[in-house]
Amino acid sequence: MSFSVGENETVHVLHPQQIIAYQGPSSGRADRLMDVKGIYRKRKLIRSDMTGPCRFVAALPPGYRVKTLELEGNNDLLYDFRHLFYYSEGITMQTRVLSMKNMFITRDIVKIKFSGIGSIGILTEGTVCEAELHPYDPLYVDAGSIIAYPENAKLELTVYGNHLASQHMSYHWKMTGHGPVLFQAGVQNRRFERDNNDDGILKRFLREALPFGGVFIK
């Protein structure tokens, strides 16, 4: 993907090793050590501060893209820090500690809430979709596909549908509340490709017939 940074603008790139081409003054890129919180959340040591005017190209794995979101003031959505590719000057981050139950389920301790005026680039896999939450009518979303959800959302890990449906689907978040939920389609795309490969009638039958066979039989 190609990125353009305007004059006097600065973006902080958290995957600098993916930058494969750069056009602009040599002084336009300054790599810095991340703070301790950033190292823990992102499990990386270096970030690149890119100051415009300049352009750069980042190499992303097949199927991945960066979705740019414009923020104006407070934002109620909670993000996984691992999805963050860049953020612009003027954006601040706050940590939200998850409940013990959600820590155990998501294998993560914190989520990130952004505020300020600027933009963030979210690393996604496949098409990004958005759905509005309802305070009483639940939305079920594949747990591995969630990108961001409102801080006020109530979450419950579950499956749904009849007996056969609930047996072979992945776990879903049952979500109620107010505001938008962002989720990506790439995880399901990989499952679709896998299920349609010629990996034997027995394995395909076991995925469908056994409880949670689609989760445990790869």
Side-chain angles (χ1 to χ4, degrees):
M1 289 190 68
S2 178
F3 300 86
S4 295
V5 184
E7 189 170 3
N8 299 322
E9 293 180 348
T10 300
V11 298
H12 310 293
V13 180
L14 302 186
H15 293 271
Q17 74 280 3
Q18 300 306 117
I19 298 175
I20 59 172
Y22 170 82
Q23 186 175 34
S26 177
S27 59
R29 172 174 173 168
D31 285 11
R32 308 181 189 281
L33 284 172
M34 296 181 69
D35 58 27
V36 174
K37 289 182 179 179
I39 292 173
Y40 169 75
R41 297 170 191 155
K42 201 71 179 173
R43 296 177 175 84
K44 295 190 180 295
L45 297 175
I46 302 292
R47 81 172 193 217
S48 288
D49 295 345
M50 314 293 287
T51 302
C54 68
R55 295 179 67 252
F56 63 94
V57 176
L60 303 180
Y64 282 81
R65 64 193 69 183
V66 175
K67 182 172 179 61
T68 298
L69 303 175
E70 302 292 335
L71 304 184
E72 297 181 1
N74 292 328
N75 187 284
D76 190 41
L77 294 183
L78 299 180
Y79 293 82
D80 188 330
F81 195 79
R82 288 168 291 189
H83 285 144
L84 184 61
F85 188 81
Y86 77 83
Y87 63 98
S88 68
E89 199 77 16
I91 295 295
T92 58
M93 293 177 284
Q94 298 174 324
T95 354
R96 292 293 186 267
V97 179
L98 300 181
S99 67
M100 289 300 297
K101 181 182 73 173
N102 288 353
M103 284 183 196
F104 177 75
I105 294 168
T106 62
R107 298 179 182 177
D108 202 357
I109 298 175
V110 298
K111 294 290 185 183
I112 302 300
K113 184 176 181 180
F114 297 103
S115 59
I117 299 177
S119 62
I120 59 175
I122 301 299
L123 189 63
T124 67
E125 188 178 2
T127 303
V128 176
C129 308
E130 181 176 327
E132 286 288 327
L133 289 181
H134 187 276
Y136 308 111
D137 186 16
L139 172 70
Y140 296 89
V141 184
D142 181 271
S145 300
I146 293 286
I147 296 173
Y149 58 85
E151 187 174 14
N152 70 78
K154 294 181 179 179
L155 308 177
E156 178 184 345
L157 199 65
T158 186
V159 290
Y160 66 94
N162 67 3
H163 183 65
L164 184 59
S166 63
Q167 279 188 345
H168 75 264
M169 71 170 52
S170 300
Y171 284 110
H172 282 58
W173 284 116
K174 178 182 178 182
M175 312 178 74
T176 55
H178 300 274
V181 176
L182 300 180
F183 49 97
Q184 57 189 344
V187 175
Q188 292 297 334
N189 288 343
R190 290 203 312 271
R191 291 176 189 154
F192 180 82
E193 292 173 357
R194 180 200 66 197
D195 291 343
N196 280 275
N197 286 335
D198 186 17
D199 53 5
I201 188 66
L202 177 61
K203 185 180 287 188
R204 296 182 64 181
F205 171 77
L206 292 175
R207 285 200 194 107
E208 299 296 330
L210 293 180
F212 302 106
V215 178
F216 297 112
I217 300 177
K218 305 300 182 183

